[in-house]
Amino acid sequence: MTIRSLARKMWGVTNSNEVMHLFSWHAFQNPVPLEEYVEVAKGIVTYARGLPLALTVLGSSLFGLPIEEWRNTIEKLKRIPDDNIQEKLKISFDALPDDKVKAIFLDTACCLRGMDKDDAVTILDACDLFAEAGIQDLIDRCLLIINLSNKLAMHCIIRDMGREIVRQESPKEGSKRSRLFFEEDVSDVLLGDKAAEAVEVMMVNPTVFKDIQLSTKAFAKMVNLRLLQIDNVHLKGNFEYLPTKLKWLSWKNCLLKYVPCDFHLKTLVALDMSESKFEDLKLLRSLKSLNLNSCKNLMRTPNFTGAPSLKRLSFENCSSLTEVQSSIVDLNKLKELNLLWCIKLEKLPSSISNLKSLDTLILNWCVTLQQLPDDLGNLQSLKKFSAPRTAVTYLLPSFGRLKKLEYMHMGGFGRAH
């Protein structure tokens, strides 16, 4: 069986008529081409070699365009070898409407694939990329999907096409590319003390730095770095060397007991330090999303004073957490609070009832949680309340005031009634 016939079978496309139907649905939103487009549609299907993924992406990118654009696409396809599907897909990338949508595509292909859409929008908006409109454009062109878990998903061939576009920015010099993700390129820049002003996105493979401490000076020349993942990497040195333009930092399994006082990232909007060892964390004023899942040494939440922009907070599986600080009342923009599996948490501060923007509260498996604040019904924006497997044995009378509540789940150990 050829690669093409295998691909057709996977997509449920078994003959030439079905191939044309697949293409037409995306290009015309109809199973057959418009009469004046029949011949150019046949030409595109032929030169795309009937590959379903290519036809889906190309059809979506051509939707609504004049016939001359279709003819131009055929001419481009003629120049590409039959087996080079990435080059065929790149035609759709080249047709994206502006550099901002292209940047969203490349950020996703190189870094954000698999991230929750809401977090991705927060990060991309902070980069002035108008994320909602750009993501929808990519979805319309079948270059991106949002899966059932609300995460950004992208076909691996489309991802590889995006990464190849970045590699071609500077085939021989990784330090001159906008995004670095291959371990040899990342290590060459970080350990080679190279100028890297072009680098905006970096994904550090922890296996490369498994047995060494990486100096923070390695990042000093990356003045345009926006997105950085350094999971499981041990940093040493002055944290003022970290790029000041960072919008997203993922530093899972950080081994520091306390985050240093020179950790000044004034433009950071999303921070993921899950599975880390620290016992306290001073929050940054610009933060909108904070993930501290599975921080086993964390006994109380950080002081929330001074972090008024926070919208999403997650302490899932913080098994030593016993206290949510009352300063949470300062988070007027907080929309989601996740305390799943905080098994030592016995109560919530009464001030939580004043969070006017909170629409999601997750308390599943807080097995020692015995009571809820009496005025929890004041959460006027609450849509989802989930608290099964807690020690709570009653429903609050104030719950009757939750006019926007769409989902509530209680019961389990305490058998709330």
Side-chain angles (χ1 to χ4, degrees):
M1 181 177 289
T2 65
I3 292 177
R4 186 161 63 254
S5 61
L6 179 60
R8 288 182 179 183
K9 183 177 181 180
M10 290 172 62
W11 283 64
V13 177
T14 58
N15 58 54
S16 57
N17 286 335
E18 290 180 346
V19 168
M20 180 58 77
H21 289 170
L22 173 67
F23 175 73
S24 296
W25 273 118
H26 291 280
F28 305 103
Q29 297 187 352
N30 194 292
V32 295
L34 297 176
E35 184 176 352
E36 62 270 30
Y37 283 79
V38 170
E39 292 305 315
V40 288
K42 287 180 179 178
I44 289 174
V45 169
T46 298
Y47 285 109
R49 302 295 292 173
L51 288 166
L53 177 61
L55 293 172
T56 298
V57 173
L58 287 170
S60 299
S61 68
L62 290 168
F63 174 71
L65 295 182
I67 197 166
E68 193 56 40
E69 292 290 336
W70 287 60
R71 294 192 178 106
N72 290 339
T73 299
I74 291 177
E75 292 305 312
K76 293 176 183 177
L77 287 170
K78 285 180 179 179
R79 301 188 190 106
I80 300 171
D82 286 346
D83 59 349
N84 196 338
I85 185 173
Q86 286 189 7
E87 276 298 310
K88 293 172 181 177
L89 292 173
K90 186 176 178 294
I91 293 174
S92 296
F93 172 81
D94 293 336
L96 291 175
D98 56 51
D99 289 341
K100 292 184 183 296
V101 181
K102 289 180 178 179
I104 292 173
F105 173 79
L106 294 178
D107 281 353
T108 304
C110 298
C111 178
L112 302 181
R113 181 171 173 257
M115 179 178 286
D116 183 272
K117 181 200 171 189
D118 295 334
D119 280 338
V121 167
T122 295
I123 295 163
L124 294 168
D125 278 346
C127 300
D128 297 321
L129 293 178
F130 305 104
E132 287 283 4
I135 286 174
Q136 188 58 54
D137 200 342
L138 294 174
I139 292 172
D140 292 343
R141 296 168 185 265
C142 294
L143 291 171
L144 181 68
I145 64 171
I146 307 300
N147 66 19
L148 294 177
S149 300
N150 199 43
K151 296 184 184 298
L152 303 186
M154 180 180 284
H155 194 288
C156 60
I157 295 177
I158 295 176
R159 175 205 63 193
D160 292 344
M161 179 263 287
R163 293 184 170 191
E164 178 60 15
I165 290 170
V166 172
R167 194 188 71 82
Q168 288 296 330
E169 293 173 352
S170 177
K172 295 183 179 180
E173 286 289 335
S175 62
K176 296 180 180 180
R177 297 178 200 148
S178 61
R179 297 155 179 88
L180 295 182
F181 40 85
F182 290 127
E183 61 182 55
E184 60 269 25
D185 297 324
V186 171
S187 59
D188 185 50
V189 170
L190 290 179
L191 301 179
D193 192 31
K194 292 188 176 182
E197 290 87 354
V199 179
E200 299 178 29
V201 175
M202 177 174 281
M203 307 283 283
V204 180
N205 188 329
T207 58
V208 178
F209 302 96
K210 183 177 180 181
D211 299 316
I212 65 173
Q213 291 184 338
L214 181 64
S215 172
T216 54
K217 282 187 177 181
F219 298 96
K221 297 179 180 180
M222 299 180 197
V223 294
N224 292 308
L225 197 64
R226 299 179 288 115
L227 313 179
L228 175 62
Q229 178 178 300
I230 49 173
D231 297 345
N232 302 293
V233 174
H234 191 184
L235 294 184
K236 66 174 182 178
N238 191 328
F239 280 77
E240 290 183 350
Y241 288 118
L242 291 180
T244 57
K245 292 184 180 180
L246 273 182
K247 302 297 190 291
W248 172 67
L249 174 63
S250 179
W251 192 6
K252 297 178 182 178
N253 195 25
C254 168
L255 300 180
L256 298 176
K257 191 172 182 180
Y258 295 97
V259 177
C261 59
D262 58 357
F263 190 72
H264 301 307
L265 298 174
K266 295 182 179 180
T267 65
L268 198 72
V269 297
L271 177 63
D272 185 349
M273 296 190 73
S274 52
E275 303 173 32
S276 295
K277 311 301 180 187
F278 60 82
E279 297 176 4
D280 196 11
L281 177 68
K282 183 178 179 180
L283 298 185
L284 303 166
R285 188 171 185 82
S286 55
L287 273 184
K288 295 183 178 182
S289 176
L290 177 62
N291 184 342
L292 298 180
N293 293 348
S294 299
C295 290
K296 304 295 186 181
N297 296 336
L298 196 65
M299 300 182 68
R300 61 195 308 223
T301 64
N303 185 340
F304 298 111
T305 302
S309 300
L310 271 171
K311 293 183 177 181
R312 304 186 76 196
L313 265 176
S314 187
F315 297 96
E316 184 175 317
N317 199 30
C318 289
S319 55
S320 299
L321 190 73
T322 60
E323 180 185 354
V324 176
Q325 294 205 45
S326 60
S327 57
I328 197 170
V329 71
D330 294 334
L331 305 183
N332 293 324
K333 298 179 181 180
L334 189 67
K335 297 175 68 68
E336 180 178 324
L337 176 60
N338 181 4
L339 294 163
L340 176 72
W341 280 105
C342 291
I343 58 176
K344 292 187 177 180
L345 184 66
E346 295 184 1
K347 64 178 182 178
L348 298 174
S350 58
S351 59
I352 202 172
S353 302
N354 296 317
L355 297 175
K356 302 303 183 185
S357 299
L358 192 70
D359 62 31
T360 300
L361 179 57
I362 308 297
L363 301 170
N364 304 34
W365 288 93
C366 292
V367 293
T368 58
L369 183 66
Q370 298 181 20
Q371 63 184 62
L372 300 171
D374 290 339
D375 292 329
L376 208 61
N378 291 344
L379 296 174
Q380 59 190 32
S381 299
L382 196 67
K383 296 179 181 179
K384 179 179 179 179
F385 178 74
S386 185
R389 303 296 178 179
T390 70
V392 176
T393 60
Y394 58 93
L395 287 178
L396 296 170
S398 65
F399 270 31
R401 302 200 299 270
L402 297 174
K403 302 301 183 183
K404 294 186 178 181
L405 193 65
E406 299 173 357
Y407 174 92
M408 183 172 71
H409 185 193
M410 296 184 69
F413 298 129
R415 298 294 181 187
H417 58 274

